[in-house]
Amino acid sequence: MSRGRPPNPEKQEKTRSALLQAAKSLLHHKSYKSISIRELAQQADTQPAMISYYFGNKQGLFQALILQTAESRQVLLAGVASDAATDPDKTLDILVSRIVDALLSEQWLFRLLQDEVISTTSDLRALIIAELPRRIHDNLTHLLTTLRDQGAVRESLNIRFFIASFMSLMIFPLLTQPLLQESLGIDRTTIASDEWKAHITLLLKQGIAP
C-alpha cells in the first residue's frame, strides 16, 4: 500500500481520482453514513490523511463526487444540444439513449438518492438537488426551447411539466428497480435494451409533437 503525500501533480491527481472511485465503489453496498474514512482510504490504497488533504473531510469527498457527476451530465446534455442543431428529429432518441446509459453506469448515485435525498435530510441533500436536477432542468429547458423555435415541439408544451415527466421516466425505473423486477420482470438488462429506450422515446415524442 502506498503511503505519504503523493510527490508530484500526476500522482496527486491519481490519488484524488482513486478516492472518488472508492466512494462510488463503496456506495454499491453501503450507505453514505456507514462508510468510514478508513474504508475509503483502504479502497483507494492510500492513507486516511489524504481525504483531509484533498477534500477536507468525508463530506467534502462526496460533495466533489456529486459535482464531478453534475459536470459530466452537463457535458452530455451539451452534446445532445449540439446534435439537435443538425438533426432535431433525432434529439429525443439520442437524449434517452445517452441518459439511460449514463444512469445505468451510476448505481452508486441511486444509493445516495435513496439514502440522502428521499429518505432523510442530510448534508448532501441540498447539493444533490442543486447540482443534478437543477442543472438538468436548465439544460433541458434550453434544449426544448431550441426545438420549439425550430418547430419540432408544439408551442403549447409546458416545458417544466415535460422535464418532470422526463426525469420520472429516466430515474424511477432504476430507483425502484428491485420492485419492478419482482412485479413486472423489468431488470437492468431490460432498461439497457434498445426496445426499452424506443418505448420511452415514443412516449416522450407523443408528448411534445406539434
Side-chain angles (χ1 to χ4, degrees):
M1 180 180 291
S2 60
R3 296 294 179 185
R5 182 172 297 178
N8 61 55
E10 183 178 348
K11 288 188 177 180
Q12 288 187 27
E13 182 56 34
K14 184 177 180 181
T15 300
R16 188 178 186 279
S17 296
L19 285 166
L20 290 168
Q21 184 58 49
K24 293 180 185 180
S25 297
L26 289 169
L27 279 171
H28 283 190
H29 56 273
K30 300 194 70 173
S31 69
Y32 162 70
K33 291 183 177 66
S34 69
I35 295 172
S36 70
I37 288 177
R38 183 175 296 277
E39 286 176 310
L40 287 162
Q42 288 177 340
Q43 185 76 21
D45 193 26
T46 189
Q47 298 181 68
M50 292 296 98
I51 295 172
S52 176
Y53 175 62
Y54 289 111
F55 304 102
N57 51 32
K58 185 181 86 168
Q59 181 181 328
L61 167 57
F62 282 86
Q63 287 175 335
L65 179 58
I66 293 163
L67 289 171
Q68 181 189 68
T69 303
E71 289 165 5
S72 68
R73 192 69 72 254
Q74 191 154 343
V75 170
L76 184 154
L77 291 171
V80 173
S82 177
D83 292 337
T86 57
D87 193 355
D89 292 339
K90 290 292 184 182
T91 299
L92 283 180
D93 302 79
I94 296 168
L95 179 64
V96 168
S97 181
R98 292 182 187 176
I99 290 290
V100 168
D101 289 345
L103 292 175
L104 283 167
S105 70
E106 294 169 345
Q107 182 181 340
W108 61 269
L109 178 58
F110 290 91
R111 183 63 185 260
L112 270 185
L113 291 175
Q114 290 168 336
D115 294 343
E116 306 302 317
V117 177
I118 296 173
S119 302
T120 187
T121 298
S122 75
D123 296 331
L124 296 178
R125 188 176 190 275
L127 182 66
I128 291 172
I129 292 172
E131 295 297 335
L132 291 172
R134 287 181 186 166
R135 282 203 194 194
I136 291 172
H137 170 270
D138 292 346
N139 281 275
L140 286 182
T141 297
H142 173 72
L143 176 60
L144 288 164
T145 301
T146 300
L147 290 174
R148 189 163 59 187
D149 292 343
Q150 295 171 334
V153 171
R154 59 185 169 85
E155 286 288 337
S156 62
L157 178 70
N158 187 314
I159 290 178
R160 185 165 60 95
F161 287 3
F162 176 84
I163 292 172
S165 298
F166 176 82
M167 288 184 179
S168 297
L169 288 168
M170 293 296 100
I171 295 172
F172 179 82
L174 289 169
L175 197 60
T176 62
Q177 204 279 307
L179 174 63
L180 285 182
Q181 183 168 348
E182 291 176 17
S183 61
L184 299 173
I186 295 175
D187 57 13
R188 291 173 64 86
T189 300
T190 304
I191 295 170
S193 69
D194 291 339
E195 184 180 7
W196 177 266
K197 293 174 183 176
H199 167 71
I200 298 300
T201 302
L202 179 61
L203 292 177
L204 293 171
K205 283 184 174 180
Q206 290 174 336
I208 69 170

